[in-house]
Amino acid sequence: MERISWDQYFMAQSHLLALRSTCTRLMVGATIVRDRRIIAGGYNGSVSGSVHCVDDGCYVIDGHCVRTVHAEANALLQCAKFGVPTDNADLYVTHYPCLQCCKQIIQSGIKTVYYAEDYHNHEYAIRLFKEAGVETKKVKLDYLAVDTNYQEKNKFVQELFVKLENSDVDKEEISALKDEAEKLFTQK
């Protein structure tokens, strides 16, 4: 078995962190790494002890949810809270950082930002990263994914099979398709 790369490993950690997000607009996770060791992680969510978007809806002003603290900021704040230096560390984040997070990342001394998905990549953030010497690298996770819609997809496929069985499609072909779907949807 071939092991995943370090970049994919840390990006997978960020995707797991994103599953803790309490914002319904976009689930984001961030992992701070130094010397191939995780030093902090964060996800976007409300201020500790406050109401969450998942409970009360997003609080949107000028197209942005202002209820949440961004994943990158939460990870950086975790380091600050516990006295963990971030100078020359790397950041793995599920989505390209917003402009405000970009500035915080630069100020914290992060040297490389790895991201999985483009997300409104602000042209000024791109310029600031470049001016500050912060590298940005896209990390593909094409064979490793956290599927938060697994049950809905499985239900949809099963409904398709019911429709196929009531059609003129060859029964052996349907059976072969069912076997393949079973392999794909059965957890090992």
Side-chain angles (χ1 to χ4, degrees):
M1 179 177 98
E2 187 178 327
R3 297 190 319 166
I4 63 174
S5 71
W6 283 111
D7 290 343
Q8 291 171 328
Y9 171 75
F10 294 126
M11 190 60 73
Q13 295 292 323
S14 294
H15 277 84
L16 286 173
L17 282 162
L19 293 175
R20 292 282 307 152
S21 172
T22 61
C23 187
T24 56
R25 297 184 81 213
L26 184 66
M27 297 171 75
V28 180
T31 305
I32 301 176
V33 175
R34 190 177 47 249
D35 300 323
R36 292 192 178 161
R37 300 288 182 262
I38 295 171
I39 60 173
Y43 53 87
N44 57 329
S46 300
V47 173
S48 297
S50 188
V51 66
H52 297 286
C53 298
V54 294
D55 300 323
D56 209 30
C58 289
Y59 184 14
V60 179
I61 297 176
D62 295 330
H64 300 283
C65 180
V66 297
R67 188 183 305 279
T68 61
V69 178
H70 288 191
E72 304 93 325
N74 268 326
L76 290 168
L77 290 166
Q78 184 181 54
C79 287
K81 185 175 184 177
F82 294 105
V84 178
T86 55
D87 203 34
N88 293 314
D90 298 321
L91 175 74
Y92 290 80
V93 62
T94 56
H95 296 78
Y96 195 89
C98 74
L99 180 57
Q100 294 307 315
C101 287
C102 160
K103 293 187 267 184
Q104 294 169 30
I105 290 163
I106 292 167
Q107 291 299 95
S108 71
I110 298 285
K111 65 177 180 176
T112 307
V113 174
Y114 298 87
Y115 65 99
E117 299 291 330
D118 290 301
Y119 185 73
H120 305 298
N121 303 20
H122 197 285
E123 103 180 26
Y124 187 51
I126 294 167
R127 190 169 99 212
L128 284 174
F129 277 145
K130 189 173 185 173
E131 287 173 4
V134 174
E135 264 191 281
T136 57
K137 297 180 181 179
K138 193 167 187 176
V139 175
K140 287 235 182 233
L141 275 181
D142 50 5
Y143 69 90
L144 179 66
V146 176
D147 190 353
T148 58
N149 297 314
Y150 166 81
Q151 291 175 333
E152 293 88 352
K153 290 175 184 175
N154 189 29
K155 182 181 176 197
F156 176 75
V157 168
Q158 297 310 316
E159 289 170 0
L160 285 176
F161 282 129
V162 169
K163 289 181 181 186
L164 277 174
E165 287 171 349
N166 296 324
S167 71
D168 294 334
V169 177
D170 179 55
K171 301 301 179 201
E172 285 183 30
E173 189 176 347
I174 294 172
S175 180
L177 290 170
K178 277 186 174 182
D179 289 344
E180 188 63 30
E182 184 71 25
K183 288 177 193 171
L184 289 172
F185 284 99
T186 301
Q187 294 183 355
K188 296 175 183 177

